[in-house]
Amino acid sequence: MERRVAEQLRSALGPLGLEAHAFKVGWYNAVLQPAFHLPYPDDTLAFVVLSTPSMFDKALKPFVNKERLKIIRDPVDQCVSHHLSRVKEKFPDQRVDVMFDYEMLPSRKPKFLAQTAAHVAGAAYYYQRKDVKLDPWGKKKIFGVCIHPKYGGWFAIRGLLLFPDIQVPFLEQPAPVDCVSTEEKRIELLEQFNFHWQDGRYRDIIEVKEKYSEEQKAYFATPPAERFRLLGLSQEAQ
């Protein structure tokens, strides 16, 4: 069952520059405090959805051209929401719950921890302070970051698709690719991400096969309120 769902998702999302990676809810809940647990049985099938560098040209720009007058909030969020809602229609006999990376619970906690989901699904390795043996940061707060084996830091985690009626007790957990394997490189990665994230150097911590185009870099480097102009949308759309 999982394989059939995965194939349908691949054929629907792949042409849009989106990837879907399967995991069991129990894998995710096992590594988090109860406050962050997903409220489903452990064997429930879920997929974490990533956007790859090609999503900008394959999904975002066509969406903006077609839906120009209907865009009233962040175009990327709206584009992903549109396409994941359409994916749900491919499973008329299944309940499909969708969670987006920008959604919050009433407690102001995120609905799910995106980087943890990507790690347990084997999609990208979540490098954290605990992955460094000789910690050089003392009392500083150090945030972790996911690195994709193909795209490095040139990708984003966009949402979850959960299939509450599909239980997959025998699904085997894939390990994420540990592509930043030396202590020295991990320190460099976390330093760049925490203290110099604006210059984006952390994204190239490994040799990548594909990265954002110059147009896409300019888009994401622009303050959100001004991005509408870059896509040819009037400010009124906002």
Side-chain angles (χ1 to χ4, degrees):
M1 187 61 164
E2 175 271 328
R3 206 162 280 158
R4 197 165 79 235
V5 173
E7 281 167 11
Q8 282 181 273
L9 290 177
R10 200 170 297 121
S11 66
L13 298 176
L16 301 167
L18 298 170
E19 290 182 356
H21 297 262
F23 68 98
K24 286 203 304 189
V25 165
W27 303 345
Y28 174 92
N29 288 349
V31 296
L32 291 171
Q33 300 290 329
F36 291 102
H37 285 185
L38 293 170
Y40 300 86
D42 281 353
D43 288 335
T44 304
L45 177 63
F47 291 83
V48 62
V49 178
L50 315 180
S51 62
T52 73
S54 66
M55 187 274 284
F56 192 79
D57 286 320
K58 289 180 175 176
L60 181 65
K61 291 195 334 197
F63 173 77
V64 167
N65 287 335
K66 188 164 174 251
E67 307 287 340
R68 188 172 296 277
L69 299 176
K70 297 181 194 164
I71 293 176
I72 53 169
R73 53 186 170 85
D74 182 86
V76 173
D77 290 348
Q78 222 169 313
C79 171
V80 172
S81 172
H82 168 79
H83 286 299
L84 293 192
S85 298
R86 292 197 52 187
V87 162
K88 283 177 71 168
E89 294 166 13
K90 294 191 179 296
F91 301 96
D93 301 326
Q94 296 291 346
R95 179 179 146 202
V96 186
D97 294 346
V98 184
M99 293 181 188
F100 297 102
D101 65 302
Y102 52 81
E103 288 185 300
M104 295 284 185
L105 295 165
S107 63
R108 303 307 298 156
K109 285 191 178 83
K111 275 199 171 179
F112 74 99
L113 298 183
Q115 301 201 102
T116 300
H119 185 93
V120 300
Y125 200 108
Y126 184 24
Y127 291 97
Q128 301 175 74
R129 189 174 194 155
K130 64 183 174 62
D131 295 307
V132 172
K133 293 188 184 74
L134 298 171
D135 184 324
W137 299 294
K139 292 185 177 175
K140 287 179 185 169
K141 181 134 178 89
I142 298 294
F143 294 96
V145 61
C146 270
I147 295 296
H148 191 288
K150 184 175 176 185
Y151 308 117
W154 301 101
F155 77 105
I157 303 156
R158 299 295 179 187
L160 296 186
L161 294 167
L162 297 119
F163 292 79
D165 301 328
I166 301 178
Q167 302 295 301
V168 283
F170 303 112
L171 189 64
E172 289 188 20
Q173 185 169 10
V177 178
D178 180 6
C179 47
V180 186
S181 53
T182 69
E183 176 94 348
E184 187 181 42
K185 274 289 185 191
R186 289 178 180 184
I187 290 172
E188 184 185 338
L189 169 65
L190 293 173
E191 289 269 340
Q192 288 181 359
F193 179 69
N194 281 272
F195 308 121
H196 310 284
W197 61 269
Q198 295 95 328
D199 63 25
R201 281 181 298 148
Y202 79 89
R203 298 178 187 271
D204 287 311
I205 195 72
I206 62 168
E207 198 170 311
V208 299
K209 295 189 169 60
E210 194 182 337
K211 62 167 75 174
Y212 292 175
S213 64
E214 291 306 314
E215 180 188 16
Q216 190 172 177
K217 284 182 199 171
Y219 177 82
F220 287 115
T222 301
E226 294 165 34
R227 292 176 183 171
F228 286 82
R229 187 173 44 78
L230 291 183
L231 292 173
L233 295 165
S234 68
Q235 206 63 26
E236 290 78 65
Q238 191 184 357

